[in-house]
Amino acid sequence: MTLKPAEKAALDQWYCIDAVADIPPGPSTNRLLGYDLAVTRKGEDFAVTRTDTAAALPTRLRYGYLWTTLGEPARDVLPIPEADEEDRRLVVCGAISVKSSAPRVVENFLDMAHFPFVHTDILGSEPHTEVLHYTTEIRRDIDEVWATNCQFFQPQAALSAKEGIMTQYQYRVADPFAVLLYKTCPNSTNRWDVICLFVQPVDPEFCRAHPVMFLIDEVSTVTELVAFQQVIFLQDRIILENQRPLLLPLEPRAEIPTRADASSVAYRRWLKEKGIVYGTTAQAA
């Protein structure tokens, strides 16, 4: 199968390519959208260039990560206001490689229906399997996809949770390959825990997922928090790597959605509107 190279819409995005703490001093390599990159670190200064052309790429340091772009984004790296709140803990969870397309990973993050079956006795359990009605919208003023009024019974919604609760959720797709989850905070009744997944499309059917959390949790250790999140994502990886096709179908009726898939339907429609092809079956057209 021949796949087209990354289109302008995909190139014109900011991408997280590594946690700052994981980038060694001196030269190292990386890859984004099918292009090899050279990364150079001198203290807290970073340079990223395309290996094939030696062209210098823009960089940003945000949320504990190094970001770059192969194109000309219309706006800066996505804003996360909660990241500036002094009492929140920044928890960088390490990169996880996935043999799947980046949009498949984003869509899996949006899916609540798999909680009882994939994350059994953590994010869900039988007989609590119903996905209750929730609201989805494409917010045109900020060009993002949101799912609100989401709720799901969870035996252990967070590492600090002491018992099962009906967890409230909001999902935010801020960029084609960056998705955020706002969920009930067990330690503060009027605030949200924030879990982000920055997905780096390495190649059409291979990506690196970068989970990061902004939590209100003064008790758990960083090691415990990272381990909890990695258990969740490694359970997801098994499902993702066995989905077929690995590329996300954008054709109508290629996959039959249910009521629970409203966020996925909105996400796919939004990708088509934006002209995003990379990691979808349209890339093979």
Side-chain angles (χ1 to χ4, degrees), residues 90-232:
L90 167 66
V91 184
V92 176
C93 298
I96 301 174
S97 297
V98 188
K99 295 177 182 177
S100 184
S101 65
R104 279 288 198 196
V105 175
V106 171
E107 192 171 81
N108 177 80
F109 191 87
L110 296 171
D111 176 40
M112 291 181 285
H114 76 284
F115 288 171
F117 310 106
V118 179
H119 308 302
T120 307
D121 296 330
I122 304 174
L123 300 186
S125 64
E126 296 187 75
H128 308 283
T129 60
E130 181 183 5
V131 177
L132 301 175
H133 175 77
Y134 60 93
T135 303
T136 59
E137 61 179 325
I138 299 174
R139 298 187 177 178
R140 302 294 179 182
D141 56 331
I142 55 176
D143 192 23
E144 296 182 354
V145 179
W146 280 73
T148 56
N149 302 315
C150 309
Q151 55 183 326
F152 209 90
F153 177 81
Q154 299 190 321
Q156 188 179 9
L159 181 61
S160 58
K162 302 302 181 185
E163 58 186 3
I165 59 173
M166 182 62 78
T167 304
Q168 306 298 316
Y169 272 45
Q170 292 188 92
Y171 289 97
R172 172 192 172 200
V173 186
D175 284 334
F177 307 120
V179 58
L180 296 82
L181 167 63
Y182 303 84
K183 65 184 297 186
T184 300
C185 174
N187 303 307
S188 181
T189 57
N190 60 346
R191 301 170 73 187
W192 302 93
D193 276 339
V194 183
I195 301 173
C196 310
L197 190 65
F198 306 138
V199 187
Q200 174 189 353
V202 176
D203 287 299
E205 296 182 340
F206 182 77
C207 63
R208 299 172 73 220
H210 304 274
V212 59
M213 302 185 289
F214 302 94
L215 305 179
I216 302 169
D217 182 343
E218 299 178 353
V219 177
S220 306
T221 68
V222 171
T223 299
E224 290 171 334
L225 291 167
V226 171
F228 180 81
Q229 190 61 30
Q230 287 190 339
V231 165
I232 299 297

Side-chain angles (χ1 to χ4, degrees), residues 237-255:
R237 185 169 72 174
I238 296 171
I239 304 302
L240 284 162
E241 293 190 343
N242 284 281
Q243 279 186 304
R244 293 296 181 270
L246 294 176
L247 299 173
L248 183 73
L250 293 183
E251 304 85 353
R253 297 180 296 279
E255 295 178 339

